[in-house]
Amino acid sequence: MALASHHIEALGAILGPQGLLTAADEMAPYESGARYDRGRAAFVARPRTTAAVSEVVAYCTGNAIALVPQSGNTGLVGGSTPDESGEQGILSLDRLRATFDLDMDNRSLRVDAGFRLSEINARLEPHGLFFPVDLGADPMAGGMAATNTGGARFLRFGDVRRNTLGLKLVLSDEAGTVIECGSGLRKDNTGPDWKQLFIGTGGAFGIVTECTFSLERLPRQIATAFLVPRDGAAVAVLLAEMEERAGAYLSAFEGMSGVAIRHALAHAPSLRNPFPGGDVPGYVILVELSRSWPRRKSEQPLDAVLEELLGDIWEQPGGPLHDAFVGAAPEMWALRHALSEGAKSAGYVVGLDLSFRRGRVMRFRDEMAAVLAAEFPEVEICDFGHVGDGGVHFNLVMPRDPDGGVDLDLAARLRSRVTDVAVERYGGSFSAEHGLGRRNQHIYDRLTPAKFRHMATSFKLATSPAATGAVRL
Amino acid sequence: MALASHHIEALGAILGPQGLLTAADEMAPYESGARYDRGRAAFVARPRTTAAVSEVVAYCTGNAIALVPQSGNTGLVGGSTPDESGEQGILSLDRLRATFDLDMDNRSLRVDAGFRLSEINARLEPHGLFFPVDLGADPMAGGMAATNTGGARFLRFGDVRRNTLGLKLVLSDEAGTVIECGSGLRKDNTGPDWKQLFIGTGGAFGIVTECTFSLERLPRQIATAFLVPRDGAAVAVLLAEMEERAGAYLSAFEGMSGVAIRHALAHAPSLRNPFPGGDVPGYVILVELSRSWPRRKSEQPLDAVLEELLGDIWEQPGGPLHDAFVGAAPEMWALRHALSEGAKSAGYVVGLDLSFRRGRVMRFRDEMAAVLAAEFPEVEICDFGHVGDGGVHFNLVMPRDPDGGVDLDLAARLRSRVTDVAVERYGGSFSAEHGLGRRNQHIYDRLTPAKFRHMATSFKLATSPAATGAVRL
């Protein structure tokens, strides 16, 4: 159902040339998400400034036109795409690209929502700085804040929340009210830290148009190794040992199941099998040490440090380490980054983005192996993830039918079964870093206590009563 | 005005023996704060459990009895003491001391609100861990979360917010509703991160009865130095140089004015004057490097590392460093920790807890020196603080009258003048780490935009509509 032509004209007048898309081919890239989701839009509005975002929001609120905010559209849970009605407009932030204000003294960056992570880091590189949220995807700043993305260096640098010093937002109310929460201060206890409620809530309370991020110095020395733990219980011990010996050097501790590694090696022939005799262990940790300065002459090379401390762990009688291989970081990370595509090549992936207290990850994994073998014998566990901070991308690979089809009912039952055990029995999270969206809204609705839902409704009324995006709190 | 005897009986029945104090001498320690504030209480309720806190809150809400939550009562802004009416009860958390649940694998601690920071760290020490918020005072866990304390290692470890993984709270409503926000997970994006709104808001939205904190490994190697910057502008350059060369080793970067050092040396004769010829520089930085593991044989001692990198900075033509003295950490920190008492010995202290973007601290300081010399010539600037994260305890020392009295009107004008310049001209914070309380409530009321006040009112209605504590949002 197309939008009435007077609305199109009014929005076009606010947005100017190229600011409003209504042709099917122009809208298509905005209508589909990175993985599963696909909808139909009434229009795509592409404002260039926060003031224009405000005008669009005010117009749409006044005329009961639904708007779905979207920035890089790289999310995995359907948090930034319209539904299938064709009645929702997309509010794209991809032309919000005027502000890029680097404060070297403060080690911070004020940046418009439409800059991609890769662009931000390319511009910061000559200054020796980067925004330390390390992801497989390439989101835009606004969506990173709205999703609170984590990534592979969370253990060292934390998530977007930890590295955000301020946000500018447009509220979905009649005026399209603009607010600024924080402005680059590192400490400020003069009232509620409101920006925290806009981080990770997918635009439900307000649309992020500008972020002030804290930056970190680029790593200048890196050493990596594959560690083979003695058994599942040894993973937490290895993590504690590495933290004890490497402290703030430790910048990644990533778990990779042997199944995931084998699929990646089969799918990407350019990868070398790094294990002796090609014999992939059942579980492998990718560990990384890094330092943010060039090596001083008086300093031992970082790979020698890593070898030395792995040697110390190795020598412990009954210690957690079965085997270890120090090697080149690019090659080791290439294998890690190939795991996701490898899983997809093996069948239909039911991807669960879980997290636990750190000591519970491997116990959950062991229990699920037994449960799935009994109840879903056709499913293969192909997990990997950020076990150093309790995260695990618990991917379940289902075989496809001969015609390529998938038993979606089985997939739904599988997803529910595993999610319930993770949340209810292990106190885990059903969305560790992917956030909320159409794909997991029903889990939020089912598992969120009534008091928290009431708090969310109240806060939405106080901020964005007219919000109609893909995330509903 | 004493509370009606049937209320005293009812509260006594909830709280049991020693649970309710009404005698003046028993209540006295709870009625006065650490610095300025002093009030009168109708009673002091000392529940032992979250359930008892809930019962007390429900009873008081139902009977319109005002309650001021208090834990360690070490705050500096009157955030935990009653007013002078004698009609408010104090809800002390000092007997909430049952839970101390250390999760070594998760590097986290679930702890009741009534444990003091020093107790927490003493119990963690045998495990090689600590809660890394380093303060002059010794608060309890609940108040630390409610205040979002910062401290001298903020630069390395962040504030309480960054190190909090979960809170249990009692809401000030008719039921005394108990909620749990977070439970030890390091990443969880399944809805708003509600605990963030209870951190730093002084109990206005809910009373913290239990915290889950993330822990850090104890420092095992420490090196410190006093640095003398070439001038005010060199401080930000020195900070950047130290961050570039020491990275995550850098655990403190504290500024100390020469005035503050001289007062401390005069007040505490046990301190040695560390500067050649006793000639105290105009401004000094205390810099600390630390590592969380014992020195390996292959590793250069940390003070040699510090000397080497200070040498590199020193050799830069036109560099920021005028002089540097590497020395023993306990002696250097003793001088730093004596500054606060030193200022008090010199006169009446108007203490302002400010923060700025890091590059603006010294510029603000220079401007205020000129303003105060012109407008308040009798006032001495005796500042010090956490300049590495933009914080400064901007203490202004006023002379006392011969009879010990103080011109409180002058003090109020001075406070307003400096606060306004800090906030309005320099975009600073009027309470960087001390939080809100009776002492600075009027600044919050005056400077907080209407929209944020509306959001606070709405959130209070959704959580703690009956809250009557010392912090009013």
Short mmCIF file of all heavy atoms in Angstrom, two decimals, chain B residues 367-392:
data_model
loop_
_atom_site.label_atom_id
_atom_site.label_comp_id
_atom_site.label_asym_id
_atom_site.label_seq_id
_atom_site.Cartn_x
_atom_site.Cartn_y
_atom_site.Cartn_z
N GLU B 367 42.42 30.02 33.59
CA GLU B 367 41.43 31.09 33.56
C GLU B 367 40.92 31.41 34.97
O GLU B 367 40.77 32.58 35.34
CB GLU B 367 40.25 30.73 32.66
CG GLU B 367 39.16 31.80 32.75
CD GLU B 367 38.09 31.71 31.67
OE1 GLU B 367 38.34 31.08 30.63
OE2 GLU B 367 37.01 32.30 31.87
N MET B 368 40.67 30.36 35.75
CA MET B 368 40.15 30.60 37.09
C MET B 368 41.16 31.32 37.97
O MET B 368 40.79 32.11 38.83
CB MET B 368 39.71 29.29 37.75
CG MET B 368 38.43 28.68 37.21
SD MET B 368 37.08 29.84 36.80
CE MET B 368 36.82 30.67 38.34
N ALA B 369 42.44 31.03 37.75
CA ALA B 369 43.47 31.73 38.54
C ALA B 369 43.35 33.23 38.31
O ALA B 369 43.41 34.02 39.26
CB ALA B 369 44.85 31.22 38.16
N ALA B 370 43.14 33.63 37.05
CA ALA B 370 43.02 35.06 36.75
C ALA B 370 41.71 35.63 37.32
O ALA B 370 41.69 36.70 37.93
CB ALA B 370 43.08 35.28 35.23
N VAL B 371 40.61 34.88 37.13
CA VAL B 371 39.30 35.36 37.61
C VAL B 371 39.32 35.53 39.13
O VAL B 371 38.89 36.55 39.67
CB VAL B 371 38.18 34.38 37.19
CG1 VAL B 371 36.89 34.68 37.93
CG2 VAL B 371 37.97 34.44 35.68
N LEU B 372 39.83 34.53 39.82
CA LEU B 372 39.79 34.59 41.28
C LEU B 372 40.72 35.67 41.81
O LEU B 372 40.38 36.36 42.79
CB LEU B 372 40.14 33.23 41.89
CG LEU B 372 39.15 32.10 41.58
CD1 LEU B 372 39.55 30.82 42.32
CD2 LEU B 372 37.73 32.49 41.94
N ALA B 373 41.88 35.84 41.18
CA ALA B 373 42.79 36.90 41.62
C ALA B 373 42.11 38.25 41.54
O ALA B 373 42.28 39.11 42.40
CB ALA B 373 44.06 36.88 40.78
N ALA B 374 41.27 38.43 40.52
CA ALA B 374 40.59 39.72 40.35
C ALA B 374 39.38 39.86 41.26
O ALA B 374 39.14 40.91 41.85
CB ALA B 374 40.17 39.88 38.89
N GLU B 375 38.60 38.76 41.39
CA GLU B 375 37.30 38.88 42.06
C GLU B 375 37.31 38.40 43.51
O GLU B 375 36.49 38.83 44.31
CB GLU B 375 36.24 38.10 41.27
CG GLU B 375 36.03 38.63 39.87
CD GLU B 375 35.01 37.79 39.10
OE1 GLU B 375 34.19 37.11 39.74
OE2 GLU B 375 35.06 37.82 37.85
N PHE B 376 38.18 37.46 43.81
CA PHE B 376 38.24 36.88 45.16
C PHE B 376 39.70 36.80 45.60
O PHE B 376 40.24 35.70 45.75
CB PHE B 376 37.62 35.47 45.18
CG PHE B 376 36.17 35.40 44.77
CD1 PHE B 376 35.81 35.28 43.44
CD2 PHE B 376 35.16 35.44 45.73
CE1 PHE B 376 34.47 35.19 43.05
CE2 PHE B 376 33.82 35.37 45.35
CZ PHE B 376 33.47 35.24 44.01
N PRO B 377 40.36 37.95 45.76
CA PRO B 377 41.81 37.92 45.98
C PRO B 377 42.22 37.20 47.26
O PRO B 377 43.37 36.77 47.38
CB PRO B 377 42.19 39.41 46.03
CG PRO B 377 40.92 40.14 46.33
CD PRO B 377 39.83 39.32 45.74
N GLU B 378 41.30 37.04 48.20
CA GLU B 378 41.66 36.37 49.46
C GLU B 378 41.66 34.85 49.34
O GLU B 378 42.05 34.14 50.27
CB GLU B 378 40.71 36.82 50.59
CG GLU B 378 39.25 36.40 50.43
CD GLU B 378 38.43 37.31 49.53
OE1 GLU B 378 38.89 37.58 48.38
OE2 GLU B 378 37.34 37.74 49.94
N VAL B 379 41.21 34.33 48.19
CA VAL B 379 41.05 32.88 48.03
C VAL B 379 42.29 32.28 47.36
O VAL B 379 42.84 32.84 46.42
CB VAL B 379 39.78 32.58 47.19
CG1 VAL B 379 39.75 31.12 46.76
CG2 VAL B 379 38.54 32.95 47.99
N GLU B 380 42.69 31.11 47.87
CA GLU B 380 43.85 30.41 47.30
C GLU B 380 43.37 29.14 46.58
O GLU B 380 42.59 28.36 47.14
CB GLU B 380 44.79 30.03 48.45
CG GLU B 380 46.10 29.44 48.03
CD GLU B 380 46.97 29.12 49.24
OE1 GLU B 380 46.46 28.52 50.22
OE2 GLU B 380 48.16 29.46 49.22
N ILE B 381 43.85 28.91 45.36
CA ILE B 381 43.52 27.67 44.64
C ILE B 381 44.46 26.58 45.10
O ILE B 381 45.68 26.72 45.03
CB ILE B 381 43.65 27.86 43.12
CG1 ILE B 381 42.72 28.98 42.64
CG2 ILE B 381 43.35 26.56 42.40
CD1 ILE B 381 42.86 29.29 41.16
N CYS B 382 43.89 25.50 45.59
CA CYS B 382 44.68 24.40 46.17
C CYS B 382 44.18 23.10 45.56
O CYS B 382 43.60 22.26 46.23
CB CYS B 382 44.49 24.45 47.69
SG CYS B 382 45.43 23.24 48.60
N ASP B 383 44.37 22.97 44.26
CA ASP B 383 43.73 21.88 43.52
C ASP B 383 44.65 20.68 43.34
O ASP B 383 45.87 20.78 43.40
CB ASP B 383 43.26 22.39 42.15
CG ASP B 383 44.43 22.77 41.25
OD1 ASP B 383 45.37 23.42 41.75
OD2 ASP B 383 44.41 22.40 40.06
N PHE B 384 44.03 19.57 43.11
CA PHE B 384 44.72 18.32 42.76
C PHE B 384 43.66 17.41 42.17
O PHE B 384 42.47 17.75 42.20
CB PHE B 384 45.39 17.69 43.99
CG PHE B 384 44.48 17.47 45.15
CD1 PHE B 384 43.75 16.30 45.26
CD2 PHE B 384 44.34 18.44 46.14
CE1 PHE B 384 42.90 16.10 46.35
CE2 PHE B 384 43.49 18.25 47.22
CZ PHE B 384 42.77 17.08 47.32
N GLY B 385 44.08 16.27 41.65
CA GLY B 385 43.04 15.35 41.17
C GLY B 385 43.47 14.49 40.01
O GLY B 385 44.64 14.44 39.63
N HIS B 386 42.45 13.84 39.46
CA HIS B 386 42.67 12.77 38.50
C HIS B 386 42.71 13.33 37.08
O HIS B 386 41.82 13.07 36.28
CB HIS B 386 41.57 11.73 38.67
CG HIS B 386 41.18 11.50 40.11
ND1 HIS B 386 42.09 11.08 41.05
CD2 HIS B 386 40.02 11.68 40.77
CE1 HIS B 386 41.50 10.98 42.23
NE2 HIS B 386 40.24 11.34 42.09
N VAL B 387 43.72 14.13 36.78
CA VAL B 387 43.73 14.82 35.48
C VAL B 387 43.83 13.85 34.31
O VAL B 387 43.46 14.20 33.19
CB VAL B 387 44.87 15.88 35.40
CG1 VAL B 387 44.61 17.02 36.36
CG2 VAL B 387 46.23 15.27 35.64
N GLY B 388 44.30 12.63 34.54
CA GLY B 388 44.37 11.63 33.49
C GLY B 388 43.00 11.28 32.94
O GLY B 388 42.88 10.80 31.80
N ASP B 389 41.95 11.48 33.71
CA ASP B 389 40.61 11.26 33.19
C ASP B 389 39.77 12.54 33.19
O ASP B 389 38.55 12.49 33.10
CB ASP B 389 39.90 10.12 33.93
CG ASP B 389 40.04 10.24 35.43
OD1 ASP B 389 39.45 11.16 35.99
OD2 ASP B 389 40.73 9.41 36.05
N GLY B 390 40.45 13.68 33.28
CA GLY B 390 39.75 14.97 33.19
C GLY B 390 39.20 15.47 34.51
O GLY B 390 38.54 16.51 34.54
N GLY B 391 39.45 14.76 35.60
CA GLY B 391 38.91 15.15 36.90
C GLY B 391 39.84 16.08 37.65
O GLY B 391 41.06 16.00 37.51
N VAL B 392 39.25 17.00 38.42
CA VAL B 392 40.07 17.86 39.27
C VAL B 392 39.27 18.22 40.52
O VAL B 392 38.11 18.64 40.43
CB VAL B 392 40.56 19.13 38.52
CG1 VAL B 392 39.40 19.89 37.91
CG2 VAL B 392 41.37 20.03 39.42
#
